[in-house]
mmCIF file of all heavy atoms in Angstrom:
data_model
loop_
_atom_site.group_PDB
_atom_site.id
_atom_site.type_symbol
_atom_site.label_atom_id
_atom_site.label_comp_id
_atom_site.label_asym_id
_atom_site.label_seq_id
_atom_site.Cartn_x
_atom_site.Cartn_y
_atom_site.Cartn_z
ATOM 1 N N ALA P 107 -6.264 20.892 -14.901
ATOM 2 C CA ALA P 107 -4.866 20.518 -14.667
ATOM 3 C C ALA P 107 -4.858 19.240 -13.827
ATOM 4 O O ALA P 107 -5.910 18.718 -13.466
ATOM 5 C CB ALA P 107 -4.132 21.631 -13.915
ATOM 6 N N THR P 108 -3.672 18.777 -13.519
ATOM 7 C CA THR P 108 -3.528 17.676 -12.566
ATOM 8 C C THR P 108 -3.128 18.261 -11.219
ATOM 9 O O THR P 108 -2.230 19.107 -11.148
ATOM 10 C CB THR P 108 -2.472 16.666 -13.045
ATOM 11 O OG1 THR P 108 -2.911 16.063 -14.261
ATOM 12 C CG2 THR P 108 -2.250 15.573 -12.003
ATOM 13 N N TYR P 109 -3.798 17.825 -10.165
ATOM 14 C CA TYR P 109 -3.554 18.333 -8.825
ATOM 15 C C TYR P 109 -2.871 17.243 -7.997
ATOM 16 O O TYR P 109 -3.382 16.123 -7.875
ATOM 17 C CB TYR P 109 -4.863 18.784 -8.167
ATOM 18 C CG TYR P 109 -5.385 20.038 -8.817
ATOM 19 C CD1 TYR P 109 -6.074 19.970 -10.024
ATOM 20 C CD2 TYR P 109 -5.154 21.296 -8.264
ATOM 21 C CE1 TYR P 109 -6.522 21.120 -10.662
ATOM 22 C CE2 TYR P 109 -5.604 22.445 -8.887
ATOM 23 C CZ TYR P 109 -6.276 22.344 -10.081
ATOM 24 O OH TYR P 109 -6.709 23.496 -10.711
ATOM 25 N N LEU P 110 -1.719 17.591 -7.460
ATOM 26 C CA LEU P 110 -0.907 16.653 -6.686
ATOM 27 C C LEU P 110 -0.896 17.067 -5.229
ATOM 28 O O LEU P 110 -0.615 18.227 -4.910
ATOM 29 C CB LEU P 110 0.538 16.656 -7.196
ATOM 30 C CG LEU P 110 0.779 16.306 -8.657
ATOM 31 C CD1 LEU P 110 2.100 16.859 -9.133
ATOM 32 C CD2 LEU P 110 0.767 14.802 -8.830
ATOM 33 N N CYS P 111 -1.200 16.133 -4.340
ATOM 34 C CA CYS P 111 -0.974 16.412 -2.929
ATOM 35 C C CYS P 111 0.445 15.950 -2.580
ATOM 36 O O CYS P 111 0.987 15.043 -3.214
ATOM 37 C CB CYS P 111 -2.004 15.726 -2.043
ATOM 38 S SG CYS P 111 -1.983 13.925 -2.087
ATOM 39 N N ALA P 112 1.036 16.604 -1.587
ATOM 40 C CA ALA P 112 2.376 16.238 -1.143
ATOM 41 C C ALA P 112 2.458 16.477 0.354
ATOM 42 O O ALA P 112 1.786 17.363 0.885
ATOM 43 C CB ALA P 112 3.441 17.057 -1.874
ATOM 44 N N MET P 113 3.263 15.707 1.027
ATOM 45 C CA MET P 113 3.358 15.854 2.468
ATOM 46 C C MET P 113 4.740 15.456 2.962
ATOM 47 O O MET P 113 5.482 14.748 2.274
ATOM 48 C CB MET P 113 2.262 15.061 3.180
ATOM 49 C CG MET P 113 2.019 13.696 2.650
ATOM 50 S SD MET P 113 0.382 13.066 3.170
ATOM 51 C CE MET P 113 -0.708 13.831 1.975
ATOM 52 N N SER P 114 5.043 15.940 4.172
ATOM 53 C CA SER P 114 6.367 15.737 4.713
ATOM 54 C C SER P 114 6.320 15.791 6.234
ATOM 55 O O SER P 114 5.512 16.522 6.796
ATOM 56 C CB SER P 114 7.306 16.830 4.190
ATOM 57 O OG SER P 114 8.516 16.831 4.890
ATOM 58 N N PRO P 115 7.201 15.053 6.894
ATOM 59 C CA PRO P 115 7.273 15.179 8.346
ATOM 60 C C PRO P 115 7.947 16.468 8.781
ATOM 61 O O PRO P 115 7.796 16.883 9.920
ATOM 62 C CB PRO P 115 8.089 13.950 8.778
ATOM 63 C CG PRO P 115 8.862 13.552 7.569
ATOM 64 C CD PRO P 115 8.034 13.947 6.388
ATOM 65 N N THR P 116 8.721 17.091 7.886
ATOM 66 C CA THR P 116 9.393 18.342 8.223
ATOM 67 C C THR P 116 8.986 19.411 7.231
ATOM 68 O O THR P 116 8.525 19.122 6.137
ATOM 69 C CB THR P 116 10.924 18.186 8.184
ATOM 70 O OG1 THR P 116 11.312 17.781 6.867
ATOM 71 C CG2 THR P 116 11.380 17.161 9.192
ATOM 72 N N GLY P 117 9.194 20.662 7.602
ATOM 73 C CA GLY P 117 8.765 21.754 6.755
ATOM 74 C C GLY P 117 9.449 21.810 5.422
ATOM 75 O O GLY P 117 10.642 21.568 5.339
ATOM 76 N N GLY P 118 8.717 22.135 4.375
ATOM 77 C CA GLY P 118 9.284 22.270 3.042
ATOM 78 C C GLY P 118 9.622 20.922 2.458
ATOM 79 O O GLY P 118 9.592 20.712 1.262
ATOM 80 N N GLY P 119 9.921 19.996 3.342
ATOM 81 C CA GLY P 119 10.106 18.626 2.875
ATOM 82 C C GLY P 119 11.477 18.349 2.351
ATOM 83 O O GLY P 119 11.761 18.553 1.179
ATOM 84 N N ASN P 120 12.374 17.874 3.194
ATOM 85 C CA ASN P 120 13.552 17.259 2.624
ATOM 86 C C ASN P 120 13.121 16.109 1.743
ATOM 87 O O ASN P 120 13.683 15.878 0.693
ATOM 88 C CB ASN P 120 14.475 16.736 3.725
ATOM 89 C CG ASN P 120 15.247 17.852 4.377
ATOM 90 O OD1 ASN P 120 15.362 18.943 3.837
ATOM 91 N ND2 ASN P 120 15.775 17.598 5.538
ATOM 92 N N LYS P 121 12.092 15.411 2.208
ATOM 93 C CA LYS P 121 11.558 14.319 1.405
ATOM 94 C C LYS P 121 10.055 14.480 1.320
ATOM 95 O O LYS P 121 9.346 14.144 2.254
ATOM 96 C CB LYS P 121 11.902 12.974 2.036
ATOM 97 C CG LYS P 121 13.306 12.506 1.803
ATOM 98 C CD LYS P 121 13.453 11.054 2.204
ATOM 99 C CE LYS P 121 14.663 10.460 1.547
ATOM 100 N NZ LYS P 121 14.792 9.014 1.784
ATOM 101 N N LEU P 122 9.604 15.032 0.218
ATOM 102 C CA LEU P 122 8.182 15.128 -0.016
ATOM 103 C C LEU P 122 7.683 13.792 -0.553
ATOM 104 O O LEU P 122 8.309 13.204 -1.424
ATOM 105 C CB LEU P 122 7.878 16.207 -1.051
ATOM 106 C CG LEU P 122 7.973 17.670 -0.610
ATOM 107 C CD1 LEU P 122 7.677 18.588 -1.775
ATOM 108 C CD2 LEU P 122 7.044 17.945 0.544
ATOM 109 N N THR P 123 6.550 13.348 -0.014
ATOM 110 C CA THR P 123 5.885 12.175 -0.564
ATOM 111 C C THR P 123 4.655 12.674 -1.308
ATOM 112 O O THR P 123 3.796 13.331 -0.721
ATOM 113 C CB THR P 123 5.483 11.190 0.540
ATOM 114 O OG1 THR P 123 6.654 10.796 1.262
ATOM 115 C CG2 THR P 123 4.838 9.958 -0.065
ATOM 116 N N PHE P 124 4.594 12.349 -2.592
ATOM 117 C CA PHE P 124 3.526 12.842 -3.446
ATOM 118 C C PHE P 124 2.457 11.793 -3.672
ATOM 119 O O PHE P 124 2.744 10.592 -3.730
ATOM 120 C CB PHE P 124 4.090 13.227 -4.821
ATOM 121 C CG PHE P 124 4.788 14.549 -4.860
ATOM 122 C CD1 PHE P 124 6.132 14.642 -4.524
ATOM 123 C CD2 PHE P 124 4.119 15.698 -5.231
ATOM 124 C CE1 PHE P 124 6.784 15.868 -4.565
ATOM 125 C CE2 PHE P 124 4.766 16.926 -5.278
ATOM 126 C CZ PHE P 124 6.102 17.013 -4.941
#
Side-chain angles (χ1 to χ4, degrees):
Chain P
T108 296
Y109 289 80
L110 302 158
C111 64
M113 43 199 82
S114 168
T116 60
N120 283 342
K121 282 192 160 186
L122 285 178
T123 302
F124 281 86

